[in-house]
Amino acid sequence: MRAEATVAVRGIASRLGNKVVAYCCLAGAVLLWGTSFMATKTAMAAFAPMAVIWLRMGLASLMVFVLMRKIPRPAYRKGDWKILLLLCLMQPCLYFLLEGYAISLTTSAQAGMISSIVPLLVIVGAWAILKERLSVRNGVGLALSIAGVIWLSLSGAPDESAPNPVLGNLLEVGAMVAAAVYMVVMKRLSTRYSTWWLTGMQCVAGAIFFLPGMFLQPLPAVADIPVEAWLAVLYLGLFVTLGAFGLYNMAMTFMPAGRAAVAINMVSPVALVSGWLFLGEAMTPMQLAACALVGVGVIVGGRN
């Protein structure tokens, strides 16, 4: 009897530990993703969109090669190459291609707001492919967070740094569709593949895919590139590209894909606040209230 109780206690502790790890990973991914819009906008003040994407992929790939020996080998099965190819096509190839140009046409805050549609897309995909189900509480949390993001969009002020926000926002929507497909596919692969191996593979694939884009537009002279642009590229390559996706992929190994995706709604408020703090993008009291609503939705939707 005592032995059974001990096993039960250990099982509960293990589940609680996994849940804590999952939420910590999600929090780190959200913080990195939310600030990535601001960093990308800063980098694009000196570099062309394709140059920014290739530089961040190249830096992340270098880090992957440094850490290669510590990454577990995958349990490859015949035919997995098709799923791995789809994964890389969606993320990073299509995602960064669309988002790179989107951020050059709209504000970092608006691009961050649009990222809130990912949970809804992931939930539909997880229901169709992974047969996942969400509780009523998850649905309410999702509805609240989506409502908060719509409120954010409606209360946003026009910004001079957005030359074509309509086209930019449409491209960002396309990027979010690619991201949602990637997340569903990643959840399926994460049962047999190390999340860090998959993340590293994506970085290397992205560096190869975006290499030709480096030659489409001439690079500026090194002396003309401001320090903040270099710092933004380093941040994107060494922290966001490798860290955010690695942390999110790890979180999905401990929870359903749909529930993990709900946390992405917090990317919008983080993007809004970072754009306001570092780029001077407009932020109103109504937007602050909308951020709070998004946060409540994520807290409610993330519970069982």
Side-chain angles (χ1 to χ4, degrees), residues 150-207:
I150 292 174
W151 189 5
L152 277 175
S153 299
L154 294 176
S155 60
D159 194 282
E160 294 180 358
S161 64
N164 193 340
V166 174
L167 177 58
N169 291 341
L170 285 174
L171 291 175
E172 186 67 18
V173 169
M176 294 306 106
V177 172
V181 174
Y182 148 78
M183 289 174 184
V184 174
V185 176
M186 172 63 76
K187 176 63 178 178
R188 184 174 179 179
L189 286 172
S190 63
T191 57
R192 293 186 290 107
Y193 284 78
S194 162
T195 54
W196 291 105
W197 186 90
L198 290 170
T199 304
M201 179 197 66
Q202 291 173 261
C203 293
V204 174

Side-chain angles (χ1 to χ4, degrees), residues 50 53-59 61 65 88 92-93 200-215:
M50 289 297 99
I53 297 171
W54 184 83
L55 286 169
R56 66 184 291 183
M57 288 294 165
L59 286 169
S61 297
F65 287 121
C88 291
C93 299
M201 179 197 66
Q202 291 173 261
C203 293
V204 174
I208 296 171
F209 180 83
F210 289 107
L211 179 60
M214 283 286 292
F215 304 101

Side-chain angles (χ1 to χ4, degrees), residues 14 40 44 69 108 127 135 139 201 207 245 258 265 274 281:
S14 177
T40 301
M44 285 183 181
R69 294 183 179 179
S108 64
W127 168 77
S135 66
M201 179 197 66
F245 290 105
N265 279 336
S274 61
E281 294 178 348

